Amino acid sequence: MSPAGPRAGRDDRLVVPVLSCLMVLLLATGWVVSGKLVSDTPPLAVAAGRTAASFVAISALSALRPRTWPAIRAGAGRWRAVALLAFLGFFAYYTGTLLGVDRIGASRVGLVVSLLPCLTFAIGIVAFREQAGLRKVVGAVLAVAAALGYALGEGPADGGAGGGVLVTGVLFALAGTFAYALYGYVYRRHMSDVPPIAALPAVTGAGTVMLGLAAVVLVPLGTISAGQWAGVAALGAVLTAPVFLLSHELILRKGPLFTSAVALTVPFLVRLGEWAWGEAPAPGPVDFLFLVLCAVGVWMTVAATPPAPAATPAAAPDVADHQPLSPAEPERSTS
């Protein structure tokens, strides 16, 4: 990948919009495909197969770049950090979100996942003593409330389950998103000096082992057809792995909060995709209102705080020190 640090340059005027559109389209397509797959394939099997395919694709790409090999060995040597990252970012995240998709549908889970910057912001305040302004707190509350209203407002994805299934699906999705928010803090502490293209093979490999063992124990794998496995493999190699690389490149160029904010467009695109596929009715005005409110809330949370007037030489550094952390912050210093 490109050198460390946020990018700035003339090419960003073209490259950033292209990368953003590709990431959003791949993310939205991935959620729609996930929704189709978990309708007849156990979610844990989808999570395991998708992670395994991502691992193969990313490892193959890394193997073609000899200059990353020393960094790959360095990252893999930190086995405790690799195991924790794999659990948070793959086992817990994919299991939670796919179990949520199975219960409340892909578009609702996608909106819950779009709360990632808000949840990370909240974790920073509670667990890491990050300072917060009123605007950011109000924005986080608004985004969470709008997302929950959207997820719970129309009933279950299949139209036949009760409120308990709805609440369970939202909780699964929130748990997975919360785990991924913690993933960022762990990554920054243990992998900030390793480029993501070098760290991801070890982390995705460990995630594949965890999810694979769970699938072997808990899922009747013999009932899954070759066609279903092919769909899962395509999801991981063709959609999930490129999203990792695209999102990390955007993080390097524009920062993690920008990347998370761009991803907010994904749930609405997922809903349109489900509608086009015949899996959901057309979005109504209430859906659109919730999505707009969620977008406003996330913007309030992630928008940069204007620098205070420079009354003293120390004022500018103080503002920078108080910016909230994000789940992908470590990648800024290192796909």
Side-chain angles (χ1 to χ4, degrees), residues 220-278:
L221 298 179
T223 63
I224 303 174
S225 68
Q228 290 171 308
W229 281 123
V232 171
L235 172 64
V238 179
L239 297 174
T240 305
V243 163
F244 273 115
L245 302 178
L246 288 168
S247 62
H248 284 109
E249 182 67 18
L250 276 175
I251 288 165
L252 289 174
R253 289 177 178 270
K254 297 294 290 183
L257 295 181
F258 171 88
T259 306
S260 297
V262 167
L264 183 66
T265 61
V266 169
F268 191 62
L269 292 177
V270 170
R271 180 60 180 275
L272 292 176
E274 290 180 328
W275 172 46
W277 212 322

Side-chain angles (χ1 to χ4, degrees), residues 6-30:
R7 305 295 189 81
R10 296 177 182 176
D11 65 330
D12 276 4
R13 296 179 182 177
L14 177 62
V15 174
V16 167
V18 170
L19 293 179
S20 300
C21 290
L22 285 174
M23 184 189 75
V24 165
L25 289 173
L26 287 172
L27 274 172
T29 304

Side-chain angles (χ1 to χ4, degrees), residues 160-259:
V165 173
L166 287 173
V167 173
T168 302
V170 171
L171 290 177
F172 272 129
L174 279 173
T177 306
F178 182 84
Y180 198 77
L182 285 176
Y183 168 92
Y185 290 103
V186 176
Y187 190 102
R188 182 181 60 179
R189 176 170 295 181
H190 296 286
M191 293 287 189
S192 60
D193 60 332
V194 179
I197 191 67
L200 284 173
V203 177
T204 55
T208 298
V209 172
M210 292 180 185
L211 288 165
L213 289 174
V216 168
V217 172
L218 300 174
V219 177
L221 298 179
T223 63
I224 303 174
S225 68
Q228 290 171 308
W229 281 123
V232 171
L235 172 64
V238 179
L239 297 174
T240 305
V243 163
F244 273 115
L245 302 178
L246 288 168
S247 62
H248 284 109
E249 182 67 18
L250 276 175
I251 288 165
L252 289 174
R253 289 177 178 270
K254 297 294 290 183
L257 295 181
F258 171 88
T259 306

Side-chain angles (χ1 to χ4, degrees), residues 40-76:
D40 59 5
T41 305
L44 190 55
V46 175
R50 157 188 217 169
T51 304
S54 299
F55 163 68
V56 172
I58 293 172
S59 297
L61 181 60
S62 300
L64 296 175
R65 300 165 61 97
R67 65 179 180 273
T68 67
W69 294 352
I72 292 173
R73 289 192 292 270

